Amino acid sequence: MASFRFASPALLLLLAGCVSGPDHVPPEMPLPAKFSEGGAKNIGDVSTAAWWTAYRDTRLNGLVVDGLNENLTVQQALERINAAAGGVTVAGAGSLPSLLVGASHTTSGSMGERRTASGATNISGGEANVSWLLDLFGQYRRSKESAQASLDAAYSSADVAKLTYLQDLVNSYIDLRFFQERLALSRANLKSRKETYQLTQFQLEAGAASRLDVVQAEGLVQSTQAEIPGLETNIRVAAHHIATLLGQPAGSLLGELLKAAPQPIFRGGIASGIPADLIRNRPDIRVAERNLAAATANIGVAISQLYPTITLSGSISPTYVKPAGFSGGSLTTWSFGPTLTLPIFDGGQLRANVDIAKSDAKTQYLAWKQTVLTAVEEVENALSAVRRDAQTVEALRAQVKTTQETLELSTASYKDGASSLLDVLDAQRQVSLAQASLAASIQQMAKDYVSLNVAIGGGYNPGAPRTTAPPKAS
């Protein structure tokens, strides 16, 4: 039978290898093999896909690149990575030995008529304290696991911030160009309606039109003029927001962005991948999974606190005393020994902490599951929209052409006296409505393409080497 003297170290090593609580296992959930309107091939890594270049707008490309480096929200998210990295160090420090060293020197004496000694006494001393809490049940190892998972979540949160920035910037740029298009249309319509108004005045002087016709034509001119200030304001608001997204004062890009340019229209294929790709590509899903990993590790931390702890500690304190007029002498004291702490009565607090940690882990799992389902929904919605937007745009282009032809015919008929001014004014309204609807549908088509690419988690790390070649667009 082995003696306790040899069994104790073996038992200590065995306990040192124990880790309390469950190990984290990446969560899974059943997902469909493909999106309802998508292909059946996976899309690989899309984090490096610069999808905004499909608009073929060099100004937009430059804004995206500049903003990824200058956006203040992204910079805040990156700074939180540094704090999380420090948390890993703090969490792991508790399981390592600590050493505190100090030194002191004092001079003492007495003054006055009744003093019994002369001179001063010098006392020099030092102290070294060492302690090591043996992590028998893995409390600090689990704490470090939790902190490491939080660090991973911080990295993915920075990717989420980049995706949010991309969506906000590109959508704001699309809005800017949309309002510029609407402004150009309104100015063109204003010119046409002023011509109609002048024509009506000539007709009135010739006795071929009534005062009512003139007032109606003038009213349409005034309503068109009223649209322009609001559109100009919207253009400036969009430009201001773009500048803010780039970390610049709101008015700094006005001169550059007020130069009109065509509305963005993406030219390229539509690639969505499969639902399983989202778990790898969506940074918000990774954040949720890492939060679950941290919560799972915290269960182990809470369970380990139910068990005893052993701390090895020691100290040494050398002291040197030198009275005035005498030779000095030294004294060294030291101590060493283990300390056992065993929780016995705590009113149920420690076990309640375990229940709280388990509940938090369950909550994080449900949050992960909800994030995955929301991601699938967002891709499905974006796919449905993108695959139908072109049909809407094509139909509205045809409508604009038809209404313009109707306006030409009604204007010619009015000049010949074969129709009323009301027909011309109504045709002008229909042209304006059709043109505005076309511009809005182009705007929506461009935004739906943004939504699709953000929904699949694409583009937050442009310029990095692609880890997996993407398949052809489905």
Side-chain angles (χ1 to χ4, degrees):
M1 180 176 180
S3 67
F4 181 75
R5 182 167 60 90
F6 294 105
S8 294
L11 178 61
L12 195 61
L13 289 174
L14 177 63
L15 290 176
C18 294
V19 179
S20 302
D23 292 326
H24 173 67
V25 177
E28 296 180 354
M29 65 178 294
L31 292 172
K34 60 184 290 292
F35 294 107
S36 59
E37 297 188 61
K41 294 182 179 179
N42 69 60
I43 200 174
D45 178 19
V46 296
S47 66
T48 62
W51 47 264
W52 52 88
T53 59
Y55 295 109
R56 300 182 185 179
D57 189 317
T58 56
R59 186 67 197 101
L60 174 60
N61 296 343
L63 291 173
V64 169
V65 173
D66 293 343
L68 281 172
N69 297 322
E70 302 298 334
N71 181 258
L72 297 180
T73 302
V74 173
Q75 290 184 16
Q76 292 175 54
L78 292 174
E79 192 59 38
R80 284 191 284 271
I81 293 175
N82 296 330
V88 175
T89 302
V90 171
S95 63
L96 301 175
S98 66
L99 174 64
L100 298 176
V101 178
S104 65
H105 177 82
T106 60
T107 301
S108 62
S110 59
M111 300 178 65
E113 296 180 356
R114 302 184 62 183
R115 63 186 181 187
T116 59
S118 60
T121 300
N122 293 284
I123 302 175
S124 299
E127 184 177 12
N129 294 288
V130 62
S131 64
W132 183 18
L133 191 151
L134 301 180
D135 195 15
L136 302 180
F137 299 98
Q139 175 181 348
Y140 290 103
R141 277 169 285 176
R142 289 302 193 196
S143 295
K144 190 170 183 179
E145 284 181 22
S146 178
Q148 183 62 54
S150 297
L151 174 59
D152 296 339
Y155 276 103
S156 294
S157 294
D159 295 337
V160 172
K162 292 177 182 179
L163 269 184
T164 302
Y165 154 76
L166 287 173
Q167 185 169 27
D168 197 357
L169 175 70
V170 179
N171 281 343
S172 296
Y173 187 83
I174 292 170
D175 289 341
L176 171 73
R177 298 312 182 195
F178 163 71
F179 290 122
Q180 287 179 330
E181 177 67 15
R182 284 291 313 277
L183 179 62
L185 291 172
S186 292
R187 286 173 173 168
N189 289 333
L190 178 62
K191 179 180 179 182
S192 174
R193 289 168 183 179
K194 282 183 176 180
E195 291 174 352
T196 301
Y197 173 58
Q198 292 172 354
L199 173 62
T200 307
Q201 287 181 316
F202 293 148
Q203 296 280 44
L204 175 63
E205 293 172 359
S210 66
R211 178 61 184 167
L212 177 61
D213 292 336
V214 174
V215 172
Q216 287 177 328
E218 184 180 14
L220 197 56
V221 169
Q222 293 169 345
S223 66
T224 306
Q225 288 176 326
E227 295 175 356
I228 292 176
L231 293 172
E232 291 175 337
T233 298
N234 288 334
I235 291 171
R236 289 176 174 270
V237 168
H240 294 163
H241 188 56
I242 290 172
T244 300
L245 288 174
L246 269 67
Q248 300 182 28
S252 58
L253 297 179
L254 273 179
E256 181 178 351
L257 294 177
L258 289 182
K259 299 175 183 177
Q263 284 188 266
I265 299 176
F266 73 90
R267 296 172 176 83
I270 301 171
S272 62
I274 59 177
D277 290 333
L278 298 178
I279 295 177
R280 176 184 64 253
N281 289 332
R282 287 268 300 223
D284 57 336
I285 295 178
R286 295 201 303 272
V287 170
E289 188 274 333
R290 290 289 82 198
N291 288 340
L292 172 58
T296 303
N298 286 336
I299 296 175
V301 174
I303 291 176
S304 67
Q305 293 172 350
L306 298 173
Y307 301 112
T309 59
I310 297 177
T311 303
L312 301 179
S313 59
S315 65
I316 183 170
S317 302
T319 304
Y320 180 78
V321 180
K322 176 65 171 65
F326 298 92
S327 59
S330 63
L331 174 67
T332 301
T333 61
W334 60 272
S335 65
F336 176 79
T339 301
L340 174 66
T341 303
L342 177 62
I344 299 178
F345 298 113
D346 63 354
Q349 178 182 350
L350 295 179
R351 292 195 178 277
N353 287 339
V354 175
D355 293 337
I356 292 171
K358 289 180 178 179
S359 179
D360 183 53
K362 179 65 174 179
T363 300
Q364 295 299 335
Y365 168 71
L366 296 174
W368 173 84
K369 188 175 181 179
Q370 182 64 48
T371 305
V372 173
L373 292 177
T374 300
V376 173
E377 178 188 5
E378 289 174 354
V379 176
E380 292 281 18
N381 292 342
L383 269 176
S384 297
V386 169
R387 292 199 180 281
R388 290 167 177 79
D389 284 335
Q391 300 173 18
T392 303
V393 170
E394 183 179 358
L396 286 172
R397 288 190 192 279
Q399 184 184 14
V400 168
K401 185 177 180 181
T402 299
T403 55
Q404 287 175 336
E405 184 177 359
T406 300
L407 175 59
E408 292 173 1
L409 294 174
S410 60
T411 301
S413 179
Y414 175 66
K415 289 179 179 178
D416 294 338
S419 63
S420 68
L421 176 64
L422 185 61
D423 294 331
V424 176
L425 299 181
D426 183 64
Q428 287 180 335
R429 291 190 189 95
Q430 294 304 318
V431 169
S432 298
L433 291 174
Q435 289 174 334
S437 296
L438 175 59
S441 68
I442 293 175
Q443 175 198 30
Q444 189 60 51
M445 180 171 65
K447 284 189 170 184
D448 287 338
Y449 185 70
V450 175
S451 297
L452 175 60
N453 284 279
V454 170
I456 64 176
Y460 60 82
N461 192 25
R466 187 183 294 272
T467 57
T468 305
K472 294 181 179 179
S474 59

